[in-house]
Amino acid sequence: LTQETTVMTAMQKFAWFNLSVIAITLVVVGSLFPLLGYRAMGGLGFLGLIGLTPWFFFRSSEKVLTDERDQLIQWRSWILAYSLFWLMLVLLAVVFSALIYGQDGAVPVTVVQLSVAWCFMFVYAVASVAILVQYAKGAKDAHE
């Protein structure tokens, strides 16, 4: 039996890191909410760790970090993420806000402010999952 070693690409590391940061953020906010109530939303600050992702793309040696396939995977992932984001945003803004706040109701400022962080998480989670799915599909196709 031969054992294949697979090395993660910079894009895969980027995706896993993003998903880890999002998971940690959700755990922090979810665990603090019973204790702090609305103030637990301060845990959304953990999303700032996503700002560290450029380190995955620094060239450390003469090896190639990304190629055309990586760029195509990234491009497709962001198109999917932003397309789903706009569908979700319109659905939430038009349908759910009317159901929750009524036709004449005003959306509270805190909901608008927090929607930025939740939408950010949504876009990065969808893009990261799409990146990992495309790499997994490519690996599966390579072994067939």
Side-chain angles (χ1 to χ4, degrees):
L1 296 174
T2 62
Q3 183 180 20
E4 286 188 34
T5 59
T6 57
V7 176
M8 281 199 297
T9 66
M11 287 299 298
Q12 287 172 308
K13 292 175 186 175
F14 167 82
W16 279 116
F17 182 79
N18 289 341
L19 290 174
S20 299
V21 169
I22 290 169
I24 289 168
T25 302
L26 292 173
V27 167
V28 167
V29 171
S31 61
L32 290 177
F33 198 79
L35 300 171
L36 302 175
Y38 171 74
R39 294 174 300 183
M41 295 304 158
L44 292 171
F46 278 96
L47 291 174
L49 293 172
I50 288 180
L52 299 174
T53 56
W55 282 346
F56 293 117
F57 301 102
F58 284 145
R59 184 175 288 224
S60 59
S61 64
E62 293 299 317
K63 69 178 187 171
V64 176
L65 287 177
T66 61
D67 59 9
E68 294 83 9
R69 178 176 173 255
D70 297 320
Q71 292 169 357
L72 183 61
I73 286 172
Q74 184 181 25
W75 183 71
R76 287 178 182 163
S77 299
W78 286 111
I79 286 177
L80 175 67
Y82 281 110
S83 298
L84 289 178
F85 160 74
W86 282 110
L87 287 173
M88 180 197 73
L89 186 66
V90 168
L91 180 69
L92 289 174
V94 174
V95 176
F96 292 134
S97 66
L99 292 174
I100 294 171
Y101 300 110
Q103 292 295 335
D104 298 326
V107 178
V109 173
T110 55
V111 171
V112 175
Q113 290 172 335
L114 289 175
S115 67
V116 173
W118 294 105
C119 289
F120 177 84
M121 262 194 291
F122 178 80
V123 168
Y124 267 79
V126 170
S128 297
V129 168
I131 287 169
L132 295 173
V133 166
Q134 289 179 78
Y135 276 107
K137 184 180 182 299
K140 188 177 103 179
D141 290 344
H143 291 297
E144 291 179 354

